[in-house]
Every structure is written in structure tokens, then in C-alpha cells.
Amino acid sequence: MAHIDAGKTTTTERILFYTGVSQTMGEVHEGTAVMDWMEQEQERGISITAAATTCFWREHRVNIIDTPGHVDFTVEVERCLRVLDGAVAVFCAVGGVEAQSETVWRQADKYRVPRIAFINKCDRRGADPGRCVEQMRERIKAHPVVTQIPMGLEDSFAGVIDLAHMRAFEWVGDTTGAAFLDREIPASLVKPAKDARVAMIEALGEVDEEICALYVDGAEISAARIRAALRRATIAGKAVPVLLGAAFKNKGVQPLLDAVVDYLPSPADMPPVAGHAPDGVPCLRLASDSEPFSALAFKIMSDVVTGSLTYFRVYSGHVEAGATVFNATKGKREKVGRLLRMHANRREEIRRVSCGNIAAAVGLGVTSTGDTLCDVRAPIVLELIDFPRPTCSVAIEARSDAQQQQLAQALAQLAVEDPTFSVRTEAETGQTLISGMGELHLEIIVDRLVRQFEVEAKVGRPQVAYREMLGARAEAEGSCIHQVGGRGLFAQVKLRVEPRPDGRGILFVNQASAGAVPRDFVAAVERGARTALERGLMGGCGLADVRVTLLDGKHHPLDSNEMAFQIAAAQAASEAARRANPVLLEPIMRLDVLVPDEFVGGVLGNLSARRGRVLGMDARGGVQEISAEVPLATMFGYSTDVRSLTQGRATFTMQFLRYAPVPLPVREALSMRAGGS
């Protein structure tokens, strides 16, 4: 896991070569990387989807998932961290702890995933591993334990000194990096190595009592004890071992693999996985083949040959091809047709998947991302995966009427595959809107429609996913009284609305006294309230996270019906929401721009015009890193502007930060555009 362009895929390619999985080393910039198998990845030189593979090192099986670094595809990191027991955080020795580095670190914190850090690109101009370690302490509040120091930096980077064994690993001669020298530490580096070893032991002693006691007593601490203490501290989440290298130059990857085996946990090292039975009773599963089968489906991928593949991680027990499993989340049985061990997009058919491993199943019809698969006789529902909400939308339509049905089917398949992608139809306009995490995300979706599903589509200008929230609690009454001869319409409803915690959606509660609203009409009241709130009050977007309480009502034995109560409830909900200080919120993005000194003024002026707020600037030898907050609504087309302002020399990354109130002039403009209220 890492910020974009830190070197995750390049490092993974070297791992596959040194473990014998690949016979050649693929390169991202050449479009030959095994893990970047999609056409879009090869063309753009970035990872878009998480790719799984497996290899052996020192007689241990290592399951690896190489995740994207771009913020638009952060869902891939989220679901992979949910099912993996350890992570390698890759940092650029020049860039340090960058914006997406912080994001993936917080995601790993959420799932309590043990980590080791690999500071890559030590051969690059401006490389400063020490600065990166300091940023780990300051920006992500980690406790780094530096286990290696570099033998030279930038052009002179030749290898690393292992501080536990006090040995020098130097890569010379062999251009593939497969062979390296394990030698005595050069005389000029002996003192720095001794000082760094003391610092390593002191840092480790802060989180490990055994090492602390030995250090205080002045005892010699062996490499074996250091490794054991580092493993304890890493698995407990108290420390992060730090290693160095230059994956592109084939240096430092083998010690990284050693660290994966030495410090990251096996499934047996992790606590039993927690879940609950279908009746809500908590239960645990041990990481053992003898336990009842339980697994989490964490990724669905459409496939030309098989229809779809369901990636799952086994937490307990085992499963065999042809077995019937229970989808405890949906309460349905599924037949496992075939089992595949994946190497990116290459498949290896297997008969059985044991505890701790990852595989893909063919033939699961109802299973979706986050569902629990388990033994029919011992059902369990595991913890769900949290996914961020989409922040950006575009209108889409097929180029011909003949392809409209094909487009709908393709979009439905993509929505199953990607939980951060959604499709909806605007009731008033009949337009189909697709929503995702950003411009690039939606651009890739449209590209896949053409290449994978052979559907040509027309796409409108991106739109921002605004949100409306209530600022207070309020009550209101609504009525529907209509009489034109014969039977009429009669209903009166009193509702209370109030904000709910973020992400909880709309909740309807009936607290009316018995008989105030007949039981048959309560569902109509809920429908009316939901319809009004989902329509929203400002900007044409719905109210989110609202608790609606039915307090009272009146009915007529002849004139009351569902339509009357639905109209009255919609009226009451809209009026109550207006009284509850509604606030229109817009997504605010964290923007980090690397720009040469001579272009800083133009970039800052452009940000100001986009309602941006500069948080700080950091000088990096002729280049400035500008950090800013800026509304997503103003950022469409920014890549074109920043390229023209800097002659193509600036780079930037952008990620979602938070929702914030929309300024009044902008809100009024949105209301006018949406028809007002």
C-alpha cells in the first residue's frame, strides 16, 4: 500500500522474479508489469485494480495483493486491508509521507493491520530516508524502528547495512539484483552503523520489556532476540520496522521479503476472527483447518469466460471445489463451481483452499462484496467492509437506442464489481447518472464500457455529489383534505425530523398513539416522508442521515387512504426539514501540488480562483509542495490548467477530505439551477 508512484508494483514485480514466479521482471513504464494486466493500467502506467498473487520465500507461502495508489481507487485498498493480516507500506525516499500515504495508513489503523515500511527510491536525486522516518512520526504517528541504514544515497546507493546482524548487503555486478554480497561493514560506515544500532535498540526498548531490560543491564543483544522482539512489537501494532531499497534498480527487495517472513504475522498469529450468528449471538472462529469453514468475499470481478469471479479469504476451516456453502449475509446457499488461485489475471485451478489463503470462486450467483461464506451447519456473519460514498457524478446514455439495454446491463455489472460506483435514474429528467470517486474513476468506467462490454456511450460534464444535512430538530404538521362530492381524501400527520450520525441514512420511527394513524397507513406515511427527504430542499440533492418520527395523526373512516397519508407525510416532512436549519454540504478535497519555484505564483493564483485555501508550502530543492483545501466543484479540468501554467512540469494528487457547508452565493446559484425551493 502506498501513495501513487511510490513503487508498489515495481517492488511486487521484483518479488515475483526473486521467488521464481516470473522468469522476467516486468516494468510499469513499459506496460509489461504482471500485476498491471488491464489495458488501461498498461497505457496509463498506474494500478487501477488490486491484483492478487502468491509465492514462496524461505518455505513460507506469501499471499500478496498489489493495490492502487490513486485516491479514486481507494476502495481496492480498503477491502484488501480488511482481509489481509499484514501490510508493506511503501514510501518514496524523495516524496516521503505523501497525501495518499496518510490515507492508506489510516485505513490500516482502522483494521488494526500490522505493518512494515519500505522506503523505496533511495537511488533518486534528493533521496532522504531520515526525513521520511521523521515524517512517519509526525504525520502518521507511527513508531518506526529503523533496521537498516543506506550504503550511499542517490547515484551512489549500493546497498544497505542490516543493524540486527551488523552485516552489509551490497548489490554489485548482477544487473537483475538476484545476487548480492553479504560482507563486513566498510570501515567508513562502522561508527554510523553502531550508532544506528543503538538507536534501533532504544526505539525497540520503548515498546518491548525484554529488550528494555537487556539494554538497561548493558547486556549484548543478539540478532535473534532483536528479530523476535520486532516480531512481537509489529504484530501488536506497537512498532513499524523500516527497511530501505531501490526496487527499480533491483536493490533491497530480498531483505524486504525476509522481513515479511520475520515480522509480519501468519494467520495463526492473529486473534480469532469475530462475528455473530444469524440470531445475533457473538461467536469466534480460530485460524485452523479443523474449524468450521468461514470466509469473506472481498472482491467481485467480471470475467469474459466465467461471467464473474468472487475473491475470498478463508478465515477458518477449508472449502473444496463443488462444495455447497452458506451465504450468511444474504441467508442463501451457494454452489462453488471451480476454485482458482490467481496470479494477477492468470489462473491456476485448484481443488481445495485452506485456512489463511486467498482464492477466487466461479459459480457464486448471489454473493457480493462483503458477504460472509461459511459452513451450512455453523453459520457466522463476519464484520462488514466500510466503503466511502461517491463524490462525483456524470450523466450517461447509449449512443443508439439499440445499445440502451446493453448499457444498463453493463453498468449493473460494474456496480456489483465496485462498491464505490453507483447508477441511478433521475425521476424528473429520466437521465441515467453514474457516480464514483473522481474524474479518473468515471473515465476508467466509461473506457471499460467500450473495451470490455463493447458499448459506446455519451457522457455529460461531471457533477458534484452534494449532500444536505439537518442542523437541528424540528416538528411540522401536514394535511391532505380534499372533498369534491362523494368520497374525498383526508389525512393529517405530525412528524419530527432530526439529524442522525453521518452515514446512517434515513430512519423512520412510529411513536404515534394507537389509533391515531391506522396500522395499514403507517407504511404510506414512511413512503411520503422518504420521498420528500430524498428529493431534498436545496441544490436538487436529497437529505441524508435523518431520523423521522411519526408523532400523531388523524384519519377519517371513509375518506382516509394511502395516497392521502403519503401526501400529508411528504408535506409534513418537507416543512419540518425547512424548520430544522438545513445545510448544503459539498466535498472538500486535499490537494498536494509539486511545482517548480518559478511557477508557484501562477498556481497559487489559480487555486485562489477555485476557492482554494492554502494550508502550507514545503521547499524541496527547486520545487515547492503546496498543500491546500479546495472544493471538488471547482476542480474539474484542473489537470489541464496546471499543465499549461507550469509547462507540464507540475504534478498533483487530490483526495477526499471532508464535507463542508457551501457558501451562500454558491448555494443560491445551485438552487436557481435546480429550480429553487
Side-chain angles (χ1 to χ4, degrees):
M1 63 178 196
H3 186 86
I4 190 170
D5 201 33
K8 299 177 299 300
T9 301
T10 300
T11 303
T12 307
E13 292 297 317
R14 272 58 183 171
I15 288 173
L16 297 181
F17 179 75
Y18 299 140
T19 56
V21 174
S22 300
Q23 300 306 308
T24 58
M25 283 185 284
E27 301 294 0
V28 173
H29 64 281
E30 295 176 357
T32 57
V34 172
M35 305 304 279
D36 285 349
W37 57 271
M38 292 176 64
E39 290 180 30
Q40 294 91 338
E41 293 175 316
Q42 294 167 358
E43 290 172 358
R44 288 171 165 82
I46 61 170
S47 295
I48 292 170
T49 185
T53 190
T54 186
C55 61
F56 281 89
W57 187 254
R58 285 169 40 189
E59 299 181 350
H60 291 72
R61 177 184 291 281
V62 182
N63 291 307
I64 303 171
I65 299 186
D66 174 34
T67 62
H70 197 286
V71 64
D72 282 18
F73 310 109
T74 191
V75 63
E76 298 288 348
V77 184
E78 185 81 22
R79 56 184 169 192
C80 294
L81 284 170
R82 169 63 182 83
V83 298
L84 294 184
D85 297 324
V88 177
V90 183
F91 298 97
C92 173
V94 181
V97 177
E98 299 172 276
Q100 190 66 1
S101 306
E102 298 180 40
T103 300
V104 298
W105 198 269
R106 287 195 300 269
Q107 289 172 301
D109 281 341
K110 179 166 68 174
Y111 295 114
R112 300 177 296 280
V113 177
R115 278 146 275 178
I116 59 180
F118 181 59
I119 300 179
N120 191 27
K121 302 189 178 182
C122 289
D123 61 315
R124 292 285 185 90
R125 182 183 175 189
D128 189 349
R131 175 174 169 273
C132 186
V133 170
E134 283 304 312
Q135 289 180 345
M136 289 177 65
R137 293 191 182 98
E138 295 167 5
R139 296 189 181 182
I140 55 179
K141 309 305 179 189
H143 184 73
V145 178
V146 179
T147 64
Q148 297 175 345
I149 62 171
M151 298 175 66
L153 280 173
E154 300 182 340
D155 291 342
S156 63
F157 179 69
V160 297
I161 293 173
D162 184 287
L163 300 176
H165 297 85
M166 290 300 280
R167 299 288 295 175
F169 301 147
E170 187 174 7
W171 281 261
V172 292
D174 184 357
T175 56
T176 67
F180 59 92
L181 298 177
D182 179 351
R183 51 175 286 215
E184 295 289 334
I185 299 173
S188 61
L189 293 175
V190 169
K191 186 179 186 306
K194 287 182 177 179
D195 293 343
R197 191 176 198 271
V198 171
M200 175 187 70
I201 291 171
E202 288 175 347
L204 189 52
E206 291 177 24
V207 294
D208 190 87
E209 292 182 4
E210 179 183 322
I211 296 297
C212 181
L214 290 169
Y215 179 65
V216 170
D217 292 342
E220 180 62 30
I221 303 175
S222 68
R225 277 187 158 160
I226 289 172
R227 284 202 313 274
L230 270 171
R231 182 177 184 84
R232 289 193 298 269
T234 303
I235 293 174
K238 296 178 179 178
V240 180
V242 178
L243 296 95
L244 313 176
F248 184 62
K249 294 294 179 63
N250 312 319
K251 297 173 182 178
V253 176
Q254 293 94 332
L256 174 63
L257 273 166
D258 286 335
V260 168
V261 173
D262 288 338
Y263 306 138
L264 291 181
S266 81
D269 294 315
M270 301 301 289
V273 64
H276 60 83
D279 59 3
V281 177
C283 51
L284 300 173
R285 290 283 189 273
L286 296 172
S288 167
D289 271 3
S290 60
E291 286 274 294
F293 170 66
S294 68
L296 189 74
F298 66 94
K299 180 180 172 74
I300 309 296
M301 189 176 80
S302 58
D303 183 79
V304 177
V305 179
T306 62
S308 70
L309 296 174
T310 302
Y311 286 73
F312 64 95
R313 183 260 164 91
V314 180
Y315 282 95
S316 64
H318 63 274
V319 65
E320 296 183 354
T324 297
V325 298
F326 184 60
N327 184 323
T329 309
K330 292 191 167 67
K332 295 188 176 182
R333 298 189 180 206
E334 291 265 58
K335 180 72 174 288
V336 179
R338 296 160 56 204
L339 290 172
L340 305 172
R341 182 175 291 131
M342 302 299 294
H343 299 279
N345 66 330
R346 184 166 58 84
R347 302 97 183 271
E348 174 190 347
E349 190 147 353
I350 53 178
R351 292 296 307 164
R352 167 188 168 117
V353 185
S354 57
C355 178
N357 282 304
I358 289 172
V362 178
L364 303 186
V366 301
T367 300
S368 55
T369 301
D371 286 359
T372 300
L373 303 173
C374 59
D375 192 316
V376 175
R377 296 161 298 183
I380 183 174
V381 180
L382 302 178
E383 179 188 355
L384 297 174
I385 308 174
D386 293 328
F387 297 114
R389 293 180 178 181
T391 60
C392 180
S393 302
V394 295
I396 189 170
E397 63 180 49
R399 288 195 178 275
S400 66
D401 292 340
Q403 286 196 317
Q404 195 62 43
Q405 182 64 26
Q406 195 177 345
L407 173 64
Q409 292 173 350
L411 291 175
Q413 179 62 48
L414 290 169
V416 169
E417 194 176 311
D418 185 350
T420 60
F421 171 70
S422 64
V423 185
R424 74 180 191 277
T425 302
E426 282 286 311
E428 290 149 359
T429 64
Q431 270 190 321
T432 299
L433 294 180
I434 58 173
S435 303
M437 300 305 295
E439 279 186 281
L440 180 60
H441 187 194
L442 296 178
E443 184 183 320
I444 295 297
I445 291 288
V446 174
D447 194 32
R448 288 186 63 190
L449 286 174
V450 175
R451 299 193 196 203
Q452 186 175 337
F453 297 94
E454 299 179 348
V455 178
E456 293 283 346
K458 294 185 287 187
V459 179
R461 176 180 163 78
Q463 302 171 355
V464 173
Y466 291 96
R467 289 169 59 188
E468 291 183 35
M469 299 288 288
L470 299 181
R473 171 191 291 192
E475 298 177 2
E477 294 184 0
S479 61
C480 177
I481 303 174
H482 187 64
Q483 188 77 39
V484 185
R487 183 171 293 186
L489 295 173
F490 181 86
Q492 290 185 343
V493 171
K494 184 177 182 180
L495 298 177
R496 180 175 65 225
V497 297
E498 55 195 308
R500 296 185 77 203
D502 185 28
R504 296 290 182 88
I506 297 174
L507 174 68
F508 179 83
V509 179
N510 180 14
Q511 289 185 356
S513 58
V517 176
R519 185 182 304 171
D520 292 346
F521 299 142
V522 171
V525 173
E526 180 176 356
R527 278 198 306 274
R530 284 185 178 274
T531 299
L533 295 174
E534 289 169 356
R535 190 184 305 125
L537 304 174
M538 304 172 289
C541 56
L543 276 154
D545 308 325
V546 181
R547 177 187 171 99
V548 184
T549 305
L550 173 60
L551 300 173
D552 200 3
K554 293 181 180 179
H555 69 283
H556 187 277
L558 296 177
D559 292 347
S560 291
N561 58 28
E562 287 192 0
M563 180 187 293
F565 272 100
Q566 192 166 333
I567 293 170
Q571 188 183 103
S574 294
E575 182 57 34
R578 287 190 181 92
R579 296 176 183 177
N581 302 329
V583 180
L584 184 64
L585 305 176
E586 65 178 343
I588 302 296
M589 312 302 285
R590 161 75 180 268
L591 179 72
D592 292 277
V593 190
L594 281 176
V595 54
D597 290 340
E598 61 264 37
F599 302 114
V600 168
V603 171
L604 290 175
N606 185 268
L607 284 176
S608 177
R610 294 174 182 271
R611 293 197 281 130
R613 184 169 73 90
V614 176
L615 303 176
M617 295 173 61
D618 185 15
R620 295 190 190 177
V623 176
Q624 294 282 345
E625 180 183 21
I626 302 172
S627 298
E629 294 180 358
V630 60
L632 175 62
T634 69
M635 291 303 290
F636 298 121
Y638 182 69
S639 58
T640 302
D641 280 4
V642 81
R643 277 197 299 267
S644 65
L645 285 168
T646 63
Q647 298 175 11
R649 293 169 61 191
T651 60
F652 74 94
T653 57
M654 189 169 62
Q655 61 178 322
F656 173 75
L657 189 61
R658 67 178 188 279
Y659 273 89
V662 176
L664 183 59
V666 179
R667 192 176 72 197
E668 290 174 346
L670 287 169
S671 294
M672 290 178 61
R673 199 182 309 155
S677 61

